[in-house]
């Protein structure tokens, strides 16, 4: 090639690259990026290398659900190291021709939401209590059966099982996975997920649980254990919740998982669009027809997980670690590190922990607690307060949920809780231990030891029985965390 032609060719290449949406990176730099592994000793997932050792034949670029499913099978050897690059938006709620499927496509012919509501309305269903002095929680009848069949139809499409030794990474700054769930199940190990916007893992068929958070609370007018008439009886007691099935990412038994630089949101369907169905006393802010579950839930024996620089945005139930107090098989597992993540306008579970040894440092928590429950008020007063003060964004109720057997070790975190304070930063939910050093809440040193021991019946020890050793980066002072995290957290910042 002559110099003149070579220059022209280079010019063409430069113009081409500058016109694409992707940042201009050399093939070498791109290859290094997609093969990146978790840094040495960077939290509990230490040693996770995902698909970094993939052969060239097992590097895929996918832009729809079917291509993603095919890539995960790596030509029939799903455990081979593989790198799956996500290009543009992948909608998981689609048919095989990539046409979107919605409620009407999944709904069983017998399912009718109006009939469902009529059958299980508290005024109908709650008039009798079980021996346990609660409404029966297992709904029976043709509408619940039809709902379950409908939900099963949706689940078959939108739940995608991730395979072992896999890196899934977004290309550029606009890679999205929407309207579905990535499931990292028992037996799956060594997974890296980076630089992806996860949006709206929407459940079209949420279930009403009449006994969830239900209480025989006599502050409520007419609340009585025995049915007397339409105005007096168990149907006038508070409680019952709508529950949804899908998280954006479920680490459900999987091990060695690194989640890095992802953004999690409800997209265009935040729960505020779906108000509670049943009238007072079933209109608490928590009783919206919640169509989303967690953003990243870690349950059922999952272990060795590190989350770095993720952005959790405008969502209620952010991250559940451990699904049940009775699952004692989780003891010794559920070990998770959170470093450099941003919880922005999240409601609760940042994370809520059972059993796990969780290290949380240099994370940034920002939100508004207007309407959050106040321990000095009654259930009824808190109910009214929540309704009147809610601003239509998830109410920042509780960051750390200190659950049964949990051992959270918090360091140098930064909380900015408008209309709230340290009482919203930690919440005792069956646990007995919590450690913090160096965190700030609304500019002041976080004195968790005092606030968590306000109730002498629920003492909290600062001896959590372990000390982290896996520091991928040394902690920075809490006061520097907001700028640091805003600059680094979320998709599009690799
Ligand atoms: Ca749930
Ligand atoms: Ca979940």
């Amino acid at each position: 090639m002559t110099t003149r032609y070579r220059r022209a060719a280079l010019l063409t290449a430069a113009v081409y690259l500058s016109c694409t949406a992707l940042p201009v990176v050399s093939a070498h730099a791109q290859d290094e990026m997609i093969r990146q592994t978790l840094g040495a000793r960077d939290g509990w997932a230490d040693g996770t290398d995902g698909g970094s050792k993939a052969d060239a034949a097992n590097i895929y670029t996918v832009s729809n659900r079917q291509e993603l499913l095919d890539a995960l099978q790596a030509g029939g050897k799903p455990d081979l190291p593989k790198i799956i690059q996500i290009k543009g938006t992948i909608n998981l709620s689609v048919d095989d021709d990539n046409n979107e499927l919605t409620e009407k496509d999944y709904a069983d012919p017998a399912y009718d939401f109006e009939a469902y509501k009529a059958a299980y309305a508290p005024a109908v269903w709650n008039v009798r209590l079980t021996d346990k002095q609660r409404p029966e929680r297992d709904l029976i009848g043709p509408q619940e059966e039809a709902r379950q069949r409908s939900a099963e139809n949706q689940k078959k499409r939108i739940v995608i099982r991730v395979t072992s030794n896999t890196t899934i990474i977004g290309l550029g700054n606009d890679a999205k996975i929407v309207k579905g769930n990535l499931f990292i199940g028992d037996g799956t190990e060594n997974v890296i997920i980076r630089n992806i916007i996860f949006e709206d893992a929407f459940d079209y068929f949420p279930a009403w649980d009449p006994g969830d958070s239900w209480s025989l609370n006599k502050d409520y007018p007419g609340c009585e254990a025995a049915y007397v008439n339409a105005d007096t009886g168990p149907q006038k007691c508070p409680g019952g919740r709508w529950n949804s099935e899908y998280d954006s990412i479920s680490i459900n038994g999987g091990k060695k998982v690194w989640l890095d630089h992802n953004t999690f949101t409800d997209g265009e369907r935040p729960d505020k669009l779906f108000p509670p169905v049943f009238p007072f006393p079933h209109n608490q802010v928590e009783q919206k027809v919640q169509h989303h579950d967690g953003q990243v839930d870690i349950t059922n024996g999952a272990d060795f997980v590190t989350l770095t620089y993720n952005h959790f945005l405008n969502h209620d139930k952010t991250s559940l670690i451990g699904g049940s107090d009775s699952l004692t098989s989780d003891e010794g597992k559920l070990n998770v590190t959170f470093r450099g993540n941003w919880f922005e306008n999240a409601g609760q579970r940042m994370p809520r922990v059972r059993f796990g040894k969780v290290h949380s440092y240099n994370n940034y928590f920002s939100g508004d607690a207007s309407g959050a429950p106040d321990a000095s008020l009654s259930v009824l007063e808190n109910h009214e307060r929540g309704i009147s003060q809610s601003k239509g964004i998830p109410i920042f109720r509780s960051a750390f949920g200190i659950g049964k057997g949990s051992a959270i070790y918090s360091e140098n975190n930064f909380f900015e809780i408008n209309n709230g304070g340290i009482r919203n930063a930690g919440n005792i939910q069956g646990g007995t231990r919590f450690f913090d050093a160096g965190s700030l809440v609304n500019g002041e040193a976080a004195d968790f030891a005092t606030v968590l021991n306000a109730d002498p019946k629920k003492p909290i020890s600062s001896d959590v029985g372990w000390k982290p050793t896996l520091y991928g980066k040394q902690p920075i002072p809490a006061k520097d965390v907001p700028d640091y995290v805003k600059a680094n957290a979320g998709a599009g910042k690799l």
Side-chain angles (χ1 to χ4, degrees):
M1 204 186 270
T2 66
T3 308
R4 206 173 107 213
Y5 279 116
R6 191 179 301 135
R7 198 175 290 147
L10 283 172
L11 198 64
T12 308
V15 168
Y16 173 73
L17 283 172
S18 68
C19 290
T20 63
L22 302 181
V24 179
V25 284
S26 70
H28 177 73
Q30 178 71 16
D31 192 64
E32 269 192 355
M33 186 171 77
I34 65 176
R35 291 184 188 276
Q36 203 172 318
T37 63
L38 177 62
R41 305 180 68 74
D42 200 350
W44 279 108
D46 183 32
T48 298
D49 68 1
S52 63
K53 298 193 185 86
D55 292 341
N58 281 320
I59 298 178
Y60 304 87
T61 299
V62 303
S63 50
N64 63 48
R65 174 184 174 278
Q66 191 57 50
E67 290 172 0
L68 173 60
L69 285 175
D70 292 345
L72 285 165
Q73 294 310 311
K77 294 187 176 162
D79 286 344
L80 281 182
K82 72 200 84 66
I83 297 171
I84 303 174
Q85 306 178 97
I86 306 292
K87 188 165 190 276
T89 297
I90 295 186
N91 184 345
L92 296 179
S93 184
V94 294
D95 65 16
D96 288 344
D97 297 321
N98 215 36
N99 298 310
E100 179 156 7
L101 301 172
T102 63
E103 179 174 356
K104 65 179 178 357
D105 303 300
Y106 297 121
D108 183 272
Y111 179 70
D112 174 351
F113 188 51
E114 293 306 315
Y116 182 91
K117 287 187 297 187
Y120 308 115
V124 175
W125 185 263
N126 289 13
V127 297
R128 240 174 318 196
L129 300 184
T130 66
D131 300 348
K132 291 180 180 164
Q133 294 287 288
R134 261 196 207 222
E136 175 59 55
R137 299 185 72 174
D138 290 324
L139 300 182
I140 48 168
Q143 278 305 317
E144 171 60 11
E145 288 166 19
R147 187 198 67 78
Q148 288 181 14
R149 287 193 297 272
S150 309
E152 203 52 39
N153 293 338
Q154 183 188 2
K155 192 176 201 168
K156 275 187 252 165
R157 296 306 299 185
I158 74 159
V159 174
I160 305 296
R161 288 184 170 262
V162 178
T163 50
S164 293
N165 306 317
T166 298
T167 294
I168 303 176
I169 183 167
L171 288 174
N173 58 16
D174 64 348
K176 286 189 182 185
I177 294 181
V178 307
K179 297 173 186 172
N181 163 257
L182 295 189
F183 189 92
I184 304 170
D186 188 22
T188 300
E189 294 196 12
N190 197 22
V191 173
I192 295 174
I193 301 176
R194 308 179 73 199
N195 197 38
I196 297 169
I197 301 163
F198 286 90
E199 230 173 70
D200 194 20
F202 195 88
D203 187 341
Y204 286 107
F205 308 99
W208 172 249
D209 178 346
D212 188 348
S213 306
W214 189 90
S215 71
L216 186 60
N217 187 306
K218 300 287 181 75
D219 288 344
Y220 279 74
C223 172
E224 294 288 345
Y227 181 84
V228 178
N229 57 37
D231 294 324
T232 308
Q235 77 279 10
K236 290 294 183 184
C237 302
R241 293 284 183 273
W242 293 94
N243 277 312
S244 277
E245 181 79 13
Y246 308 112
D247 315 316
S248 282
I249 297 178
S250 306
I251 308 175
N252 192 317
K255 293 186 173 66
K256 292 181 79 176
V257 179
W258 178 34
L259 306 181
D260 175 63
H261 283 98
N262 302 292
T263 296
F264 297 90
T265 89
D266 295 342
E268 289 167 6
R269 291 192 287 197
D271 287 329
K272 70 177 175 191
L273 299 180
F274 306 93
V277 165
F278 304 122
F280 179 89
H282 311 286
N283 63 342
Q284 287 165 274
V285 291
E286 301 92 335
Q287 281 169 319
K288 293 185 184 306
V289 186
Q290 199 160 52
H291 288 272
H292 306 94
D293 198 40
Q295 289 184 317
V296 175
D297 282 2
I298 302 168
T299 57
N300 287 327
D303 208 356
F304 306 121
V305 180
T306 295
L307 297 97
T308 47
Y309 307 115
N310 298 286
H311 188 183
F312 299 96
L313 182 61
N314 291 339
H315 184 89
D316 183 25
K317 298 173 180 171
T318 307
S319 182
L320 175 69
I321 300 182
S324 166
D325 284 359
S326 56
L327 258 183
T328 49
S329 52
D330 279 341
E331 274 172 22
K333 298 171 183 162
L334 304 176
N335 297 310
V336 182
T337 303
F338 287 85
R339 173 173 74 73
N341 301 281
W342 185 4
F343 300 89
E344 183 181 12
N345 293 330
Q348 54 176 325
R349 306 184 179 176
M350 310 174 215
R352 187 226 193 278
V353 185
R354 294 180 174 99
F355 302 112
K357 292 185 285 296
V358 170
H359 189 198
S360 169
Y361 71 101
N362 287 159
N363 298 290
Y364 176 35
F365 305 76
S366 63
D368 193 310
S370 297
D374 176 334
S376 69
L377 300 178
S378 72
V379 176
L380 177 59
E381 286 164 332
N382 274 319
H383 183 161
E384 289 161 345
R385 176 186 151 96
I387 301 284
S388 65
Q389 294 187 9
S390 170
K391 293 181 173 170
I393 50 170
I395 299 172
F396 195 117
R397 301 204 289 288
S398 115
F400 294 119
I402 304 164
K404 182 180 175 186
S406 66
I408 300 171
Y409 195 104
S410 157
E411 289 178 277
N412 296 17
N413 288 305
F414 191 97
F415 296 86
E416 189 179 299
I417 310 173
N418 294 325
N419 300 302
I422 191 168
R423 65 184 180 279
N424 309 107
N427 187 19
I428 305 170
Q429 296 175 289
T432 58
R433 302 175 290 184
F434 179 83
F435 175 86
D436 179 78
S439 294
L440 291 171
V441 179
N442 294 342
E444 303 203 356
D447 183 4
F448 281 101
T450 299
V451 72
L452 291 175
N453 281 295
D455 180 352
K457 291 196 294 290
K458 293 182 188 171
I460 291 289
S461 167
S462 61
D463 179 1
V464 294
W466 74 291
K467 215 170 145 39
T469 56
L470 300 167
Y471 287 87
K473 287 198 191 308
Q474 284 308 306
I476 61 170
K479 69 175 171 48
D480 299 333
V481 164
D483 285 347
Y484 172 70
V485 169
K486 280 189 223 171
N488 288 294
K493 294 192 173 158
L494 269 189

